[in-house]
Amino acid sequence: MSGKKYSAVQLQRERQEKLKLRQHLDSLETEKVALYQQLDDTKNNMSDGLRATFSQEVNAAQQWLAKARSATDPYYDYGADSELSDLKIAYDRKRQVTATGRGHLKSLQLTLTQKADAMGQALAKQVADANQQLLQQQHVLQLWCGDNSMSAWQQTLAHANQLLATEHYGTLQKLLTQLQKELKEKGDWASAQEEKHQRRLYLLKALRQVAAELGFAELDTPTFENNDDRGSRILLSVDTYNQGHIDFYLTLEGLASFSEMGQERCPVEFGTLSQQLEEQFGVQTCFNSVEGSPEQALRQKGEKELPDDSSLMAEA
């Protein structure tokens, strides 16, 4: 008789294998439905900020859900009389689909527990560091960058705290990187400017005291050329009585002057001024006439104590 033939033992073994495969398929189907529910719950429990921060993991899980739910599953078409080979194919397919969904669920759960917590803690520290960075440099930043810049940085920090609270970690990370870089650059620049300004004030006090000792009278209180700009020149005007007026212009880089005295008297008067500045205050100067205007290049070699009269400090 032609065709396939089975012995009683072989038939029993195949039936057992089919039964076992259907049991596995039932188990995988139950797990797959549970994965649908857990993935939906996990995504729904994530804040908008975390969904945006970990969009790659969320999108991958969402794509798996959409694909798994829309796929035609031939599992339910298989009965007790189905071929063993068909059941094996169905089992392998469902096993792979379920294993992929299992991986997406684990990834989201790790994201919510380990990744999100670690990133949140790191960014909370970075926000605190940025706040300290602003506070530590607030004095010089206020002086050299102004109220508008300070207000803008404070508003940025307030926004950073909002992003931290709502778990928008990706956006927050970019904002903090830019803010801390800007604060570092502006802080270094402002500190350097203030150091130059303090040296200039030291020179101004020295210049005023020496001028007074030489018998020169100040025509007015030293003032900024532009009161709204701390970096603008400071003007000191004195009357020498017998040689006319001298205007001193103190910049952040040095000192310039304009004098009404004759060219023959300039070396004498400015020579005496330079000698007194160096002997009393360690300020070394060398005045040179440029196009009829006496000017100097300023060099400081070891500052001495500031002039005693605190009233001689320019208002700044």
Side-chain angles (χ1 to χ4, degrees):
M1 183 176 179
S2 62
K4 293 182 178 179
K5 297 179 179 61
Y6 297 94
S7 70
V9 175
Q10 290 174 327
L11 182 60
Q12 183 65 30
R13 183 180 300 144
E14 184 173 322
R15 284 179 177 175
Q16 288 178 353
E17 191 169 354
K18 285 183 179 181
L19 179 60
K20 189 174 183 179
L21 283 171
R22 288 191 61 81
Q23 289 174 342
H24 286 322
L25 285 167
D26 286 341
S27 178
L28 288 172
E29 180 64 21
T30 301
E31 182 182 0
K32 188 178 73 170
V33 173
L35 283 171
Y36 290 166
Q37 186 62 49
Q38 287 195 40
L39 280 169
D40 283 335
D41 290 345
T42 302
K43 289 194 298 90
N44 293 335
N45 289 332
M46 295 177 74
S47 67
D48 291 341
L50 286 182
R51 279 197 290 269
T53 300
F54 299 103
S55 60
Q56 183 176 350
E57 291 88 341
V58 173
N59 290 338
Q62 187 62 50
Q63 290 172 8
W64 178 85
L65 282 169
K67 184 177 180 180
R69 282 169 168 162
S70 63
T72 301
D73 193 343
Y75 157 62
Y76 293 108
D77 296 334
Y78 296 125
D81 296 331
S82 299
E83 290 290 334
L84 179 61
S85 60
D86 292 337
L87 286 172
K88 286 182 176 180
I89 292 173
Y91 170 71
D92 288 340
R93 182 183 300 115
K94 190 174 290 291
R95 181 172 56 82
Q96 292 174 9
V97 170
T98 307
T100 302
R102 201 181 295 137
H104 288 307
L105 179 61
K106 182 177 181 180
S107 176
L108 281 183
Q109 289 175 335
L110 287 176
T111 294
L112 283 175
T113 54
Q114 298 180 11
K115 291 184 181 179
D117 287 348
M119 183 175 280
Q121 291 175 11
L123 287 171
K125 181 180 182 303
Q126 196 172 349
V127 170
D129 289 343
N131 186 61
Q132 287 297 314
Q133 191 176 353
L134 182 60
L135 288 175
Q136 290 169 5
Q137 301 179 105
Q138 183 171 352
H139 178 66
V140 292
L141 288 173
Q142 186 89 47
L143 290 173
W144 291 97
C145 299
D147 293 337
N148 290 339
S149 293
M150 284 298 301
S151 177
W153 289 322
Q154 289 166 349
Q155 289 175 11
T156 300
L157 275 173
H159 183 47
N161 279 295
Q162 292 175 354
L163 292 174
L164 181 64
T166 55
E167 300 177 316
H168 284 81
Y169 294 152
T171 303
L172 176 58
Q173 201 164 39
K174 294 178 182 177
L175 182 145
L176 287 174
T177 298
Q178 181 178 352
L179 174 62
Q180 288 185 292
K181 179 183 178 183
E182 183 177 358
L183 288 177
K184 174 70 166 59
E185 292 175 351
K186 292 294 186 181
D188 289 348
W189 172 80
S191 295
Q193 292 293 94
E194 184 61 17
E195 182 178 351
K196 292 178 182 178
H197 179 63
Q198 292 301 322
R199 288 167 59 91
R200 174 170 64 171
L201 293 183
Y202 174 80
L203 171 61
L204 177 62
K205 293 183 76 171
L207 191 59
R208 295 179 77 184
Q209 186 162 317
V210 168
E213 292 174 356
L214 292 175
F216 300 164
E218 292 185 11
L219 298 176
D220 202 351
T221 302
T223 57
F224 284 107
E225 199 167 41
N226 180 356
N227 287 326
D228 295 326
D229 181 6
R230 190 175 180 84
S232 66
R233 299 190 303 178
I234 296 176
L235 172 62
L236 169 64
S237 296
V238 298
D239 186 353
T240 64
Y241 294 113
N242 58 349
Q243 299 296 332
H245 296 172
I246 303 177
D247 293 329
F248 294 100
Y249 299 93
L250 290 81
T251 70
L252 292 174
E253 306 302 332
L255 173 66
S257 65
F258 178 81
S259 171
E260 296 177 348
M261 71 180 60
Q263 288 293 327
E264 70 281 356
R265 292 296 305 171
C266 283
V268 177
E269 298 296 338
F270 280 94
T272 301
L273 183 66
S274 293
Q275 182 180 355
Q276 293 298 318
L277 286 172
E278 181 171 8
E279 289 179 355
Q280 295 187 49
F281 303 105
V283 177
Q284 192 175 59
T285 58
C286 179
F287 288 93
N288 298 297
S289 179
V290 179
E291 296 181 355
S293 300
E295 294 190 1
Q296 76 159 2
L298 171 65
R299 301 188 303 279
Q300 289 184 243
K301 59 169 192 179
E303 298 171 348
K304 298 184 179 180
E305 292 185 3
L306 295 179
D308 297 332
D309 187 358
S310 58
S311 66
L312 296 180
M313 173 66 78
E315 296 179 2

